[in-house]
Amino acid sequence: MTYSFMSPPNAGRFALSNATLPAVAVEGYTAPTNEGLVRADLLIADGLVAAILPPGSAPPEFPKSDLRDGMVWPCFADVHTHLDKGHIWARNSNPDGTFKGALQAVGADREANWSADDVRKRMEFSLRSAYAHGTSLIRTHLDSVAPQHRISFEVFSEVREAWRDKIALQAVALFPMDDMVDEVYFADLVSVIRRAGGLIGGVTKMAPSLPSQLDILLRTADKNGLDVDLHVDETDDPGAGTLRAIAEAVLRNGFAGKVTAGHCCSLARQDDCIAKRTVELVAKAGISIISLPMCNAYLQDRYPGRTPRWRGVTLFKELAAAGVATAVASDNTRDPFYAYGDLDAVEVFREAVRILHLDHPLDLAARVVTTSPADIAARPDMGRLGVGRPADLVLFSARRWSEFLSRPQSDRVVLRRGKVTDRSLPDYRELDSVVGA
Ligand SMILES: [Zn+2]
């Protein structure tokens, strides 16, 4: 009996035969590649990938689903999101689409509406979408100005527990670094982060006090065993050089934890020699960089009545070429920082390929939503396809890149532990009672 990719057998063991895999996300299997794609048969047994074999060689005792060269990816990793802000657009939109407009709208919405119940319902909605699209690892930043830090982290911990068999969740406390002077608040924030097993974050801004603020942040992180994930230089101002200051602070303090920097837009606006020096320092300091192409293209270079001239993204290729760990992610979804989005890693990948020119060649591109973000999030066991790993897989009818990147892949099939999952998306009407119709 042969099954189509639309309905792999719901059996304890079966073969996905004649699959096309992105080689960069596959462990322990080598075969000739074509634009980074390899062909193989996958054997699935008891929810795990049992073997990766040459195409057409699956043993007959495994019921076969012939994918006819359709792609199979591991489930995705999306490691820079804002689940706490998600889907507030209907209630508090961004009047002009600018960064300033977003800050004001989110601040007002947070103060008026972000009860535990409100945050939980919107978070759950976002996770159901991400799960349906095939994501298995998400890191979210949580707005952590007092008293929101206590509300949001408590909800996050409950939601993480409820979702632990479906999506691995991580949280970062996002707060203005100036607030560290309030020692009572800062000590409380650190204890909340520790209790939730989270990361310390923050927004860096150019100021004479920045180096000493970074020293305090890194020393606190070190003392408490926390990793760091910052919002950095999200501006078109070439004078914004906090990324360099972060790299210098990491080196100065000999900080041994992981440091991630998101956005880093202004790096692409600086003179080549200045940017090159920063890239070298970032590589030396071992900082990972996450680009948010959809959100950056939306917010950056936006002025009334003027067509944008700049894509808003950081020097992604130069950073990667220097050996810096790089990935892309969703960032915001249907909130004042980004009016659209659905936590669909395929959309993020497709837009990243277009905006960042990750194509020609596409050989390694699939890493930016699979292995690379999983590694950055210290989950090197996720975002890859390998023998003995869970059969958390996304099956596509697309066989080649031009097919994959030209359609939204709405007909994809998602397997979790080898079982086909329900891919229906939550209805926006469910949010009417939360954010208004
Ligand atoms: Zn962000």
Side-chain angles (χ1 to χ4, degrees), residues 269-320:
R269 307 278 289 172
Q270 294 166 354
D271 290 341
D272 284 350
C273 59
I274 295 173
K276 187 165 180 284
R277 179 71 188 129
T278 297
V279 169
E280 286 166 0
L281 279 171
V282 167
K284 195 172 169 200
I287 296 170
S288 305
I289 303 288
I290 299 178
S291 182
L292 298 309
M294 300 193 312
C295 197
N296 287 158
Y298 175 83
L299 284 175
Q300 298 302 313
D301 207 11
R302 183 187 283 273
Y303 298 95
R306 181 183 178 277
T307 307
R309 266 74 154 179
W310 170 48
R311 295 177 184 224
V313 284
T314 191
L315 297 184
F316 197 81
K317 294 189 180 200
E318 291 81 350
L319 287 158

Side-chain angles (χ1 to χ4, degrees), residues 80-82 85 141 174 230-231 234 262-263 292 295 330-332 337:
H80 183 130
T81 68
H82 293 264
K85 296 184 175 85
H141 295 260
L174 176 59
L230 299 161
H231 275 70
E234 197 174 355
H263 299 290
L292 298 309
C295 197
S330 284
D331 212 6
N332 299 69
F337 285 93

Side-chain angles (χ1 to χ4, degrees), residues 13 27 37 100 102 155 188 200 213 260 270 282 289 314:
R13 61 180 195 170
E27 295 172 330
L37 301 172
K100 197 169 153 220
V155 171
D188 188 52
I200 194 160
Q213 282 184 335
T260 302
Q270 294 166 354
V282 167
I289 303 288
T314 191

